[in-house]
Amino acid sequence: MSEAAGRRRGRSGGGGAARRAERSAVRIECAKVIERRIPDVEMLTEEVLGIIENNAETVLEEIGVAFVENPGALERWRQAGADVRGERVHIPRGLARQLCATAPGSFVQHARNPERSVEIGGRNLVLAPVYGPPFVRDLSGGRRYATIEDFRNFVKLGHMTKWLHHSGGTVCEPTDVPVNKRHLDMLLAHMTLTDKPFMGSVTEPSRAQDSVDMCEILFGGLDGRTVMTSLVNINSPLTFDATMMGALEVYAAANQACIISPFIVGGAMAPVSVVGTLTQVLAEVLAGVAYSQLIRPGAPVIFGAFVTSIDMNSGAPTFGTPEASQITYGAGQLARRLGLPYRSAGSFNGSKLPDAQAAYESANSLNAGLFSGVNFMLHACGWLEGGLVASFEKFVMDADQLGVLHKLAAGVSSDDEAQAMDAIREVGPGGHYLGCAHTQRHFKDAFWRSDLLDYKPFETWDEEGARDTATLASARVRRLLEQYQPPEMDAGLWEALDAFVARRKEEMPDAFV
């Protein structure tokens, strides 16, 4: 029987069965990048913003920033007009901002599937998963060191997740693979298990170069295209180490994007005050972005701000706090005044489990990210225990809630259909809207609906085992991994990437430090 005949028979031989089959079929959807149609929250006044910008310039000129173990960077700064004393670079007032002017206000990161390419900047918000945890957690195995199999499963979940636009980078740290080789396996997973855009390695300059070389294979040459957005953390306070700067140098020279991101724990790595912290954040970003432009004018960069506070009793970092939100809002204003894309926020929390604490703190941080004007949100799903743990259940819980950000960002329509005057006239006093024409036209898409949370009556919920959200999330993880389907890829391309990885691994002995 032909495929067409089979389809005809399915339609005529029982519409209910056909509709049920359609509903149960595996569909891998990817939502479009969020385009904000809502205003940003402007928390700081012009006066306060001016104070921060003036103080940041003072920090750069009088205190300076350290570029350690990097003679090449010191020479570049000296030639640009900075006052270099030992490893400390004193940047004359206005020089860093002048250099930053060549950085683009937005850029496209190309994916191997052109439909998955993303534009970062402007009114857009791109969502990417958790980055960096050495541990993973799930209901069946508890907390444990991450493996490459865990890593691959997270990449698969990201591929299957509608609301994630980006595959991220080190979604967990696969500790069963040598430190000097694991970046190759992680890149290969991102390149083959999904067709969404991804991040490169920054843990050593040669690993950044491996990332560029593998992308040359994947994309058949880069030709100036930006195909990676990678995370370059600043050693706050005011220190730029040779490892991260070496990776930045590789990526900027190849026109690959970098997030220039201070790593701030308020009270430990920055002042306890909001304005003091924002002053340091701005000074560090100005210096980092300016340096990227010394490597290659026009290289794409993102103004990053990873900021949290500290518990003054235990010394542990805290997340989802009002002070962190205030800094997130303020840094967004500073990024827009610089004309740069902005990275901040995520599903941040300090909880050990995907529980109420995790949900409250994550919601606070996610909403701050949306309303502060973030363009690239790393750690959007899966973060647990202050970033030490990537949780499978938390990953799908957060990913589900990212749909809320899409809905909120769309704003409120006020066209004739949204005004619903026909519905109000049809129902009149004392009626109900369940059966009116307007409701019938919109019942499928009127309200955002979770794919995870339980809306059933108590009796049904109780009969089905009284499952809490973590239990529902665990079942969803299993279902998504069972349904996973890899994106199409040319066999020759896969073999070329695999051969590159095998060759590079053979060229160096294993190292676990």
Side-chain angles (χ1 to χ4, degrees), residues 232 234 240 248 258-262 284-285 288-289 292 301-305:
V232 173
I234 296 164
F240 295 75
L248 172 64
C258 285
I259 305 165
I260 311 297
S261 191
E284 292 177 348
V285 170
V289 171
S292 76
V301 288
I302 299 173
F303 181 126

Side-chain angles (χ1 to χ4, degrees), residues 235-509:
N235 248 353
S236 303
L238 303 171
T239 303
F240 295 75
D241 66 71
T243 298
M244 284 288 174
M245 288 303 101
L248 172 64
E249 291 161 8
V250 171
Y251 286 129
N255 204 44
Q256 302 307 300
C258 285
I259 305 165
I260 311 297
S261 191
F263 191 93
I264 300 292
V265 179
M269 299 150 77
V272 295
S273 66
V274 170
V275 170
T277 294
L278 284 171
T279 297
Q280 182 181 307
V281 166
L282 180 58
E284 292 177 348
V285 170
L286 281 169
V289 171
Y291 185 64
S292 76
Q293 302 307 293
L294 288 177
I295 302 296
R296 177 174 178 152
V301 288
I302 299 173
F303 181 126
F306 176 90
V307 178
T308 185
S309 51
I310 194 170
D311 181 87
M312 289 299 182
N313 290 322
S314 68
T318 55
F319 298 91
T321 59
E323 295 81 13
S325 293
Q326 289 172 330
I327 294 168
T328 301
Y329 288 122
Q333 291 178 261
L334 294 169
R336 287 190 290 279
R337 286 162 71 94
L338 265 179
L340 293 175
Y342 176 42
R343 171 260 163 155
S344 195
S347 62
F348 297 144
N349 67 93
S351 182
K352 286 60 174 181
L353 297 170
D355 57 8
Q357 178 185 343
Y360 280 128
E361 293 175 349
S362 294
N364 288 343
S365 182
L366 289 171
N367 284 323
L370 175 66
F371 293 109
S372 67
V374 166
N375 300 115
F376 186 86
M377 188 187 290
L378 194 57
H379 310 299
C381 62
W383 172 290
L384 205 62
E385 202 180 319
L388 288 174
V389 170
S391 162
F392 283 95
E393 287 81 19
K394 183 74 163 31
F395 191 100
V396 297
M397 290 163 64
D398 292 333
D400 179 72
Q401 289 298 296
L402 295 181
V404 175
L405 302 191
H406 285 73
K407 183 72 173 182
L408 285 172
V412 177
S413 175
S414 60
D415 61 15
D416 288 344
E417 190 69 5
Q419 291 175 38
M421 289 301 296
D422 61 324
I424 298 171
R425 288 190 178 98
E426 179 184 341
V427 173
H432 67 76
Y433 288 85
L434 294 175
C436 78
H438 186 271
T439 300
Q440 293 302 305
R441 289 196 300 272
H442 295 287
F443 76 94
K444 287 185 178 180
D445 58 8
F447 307 118
W448 176 83
R449 184 178 175 84
S450 169
D451 290 327
L452 174 67
L453 303 182
D454 188 291
Y455 298 119
K456 298 169 185 172
F458 172 82
E459 291 77 12
T460 306
W461 170 78
D462 192 48
E463 289 171 2
E464 292 181 350
R467 297 176 295 177
D468 62 12
T469 304
T471 304
L472 293 171
S474 180
R476 182 165 176 78
V477 169
R478 289 193 301 272
R479 185 165 62 254
L480 288 174
L481 292 178
E482 289 168 358
Q483 294 175 341
Y484 169 78
Q485 296 176 0
E488 292 184 3
M489 187 175 203
D490 179 78
L493 185 58
W494 198 101
E495 291 168 1
L497 289 167
D498 197 46
F500 178 92
V501 169
R503 176 177 62 79
R504 287 290 291 127
K505 285 185 174 182
E506 289 173 0
E507 291 174 349
M508 48 188 163

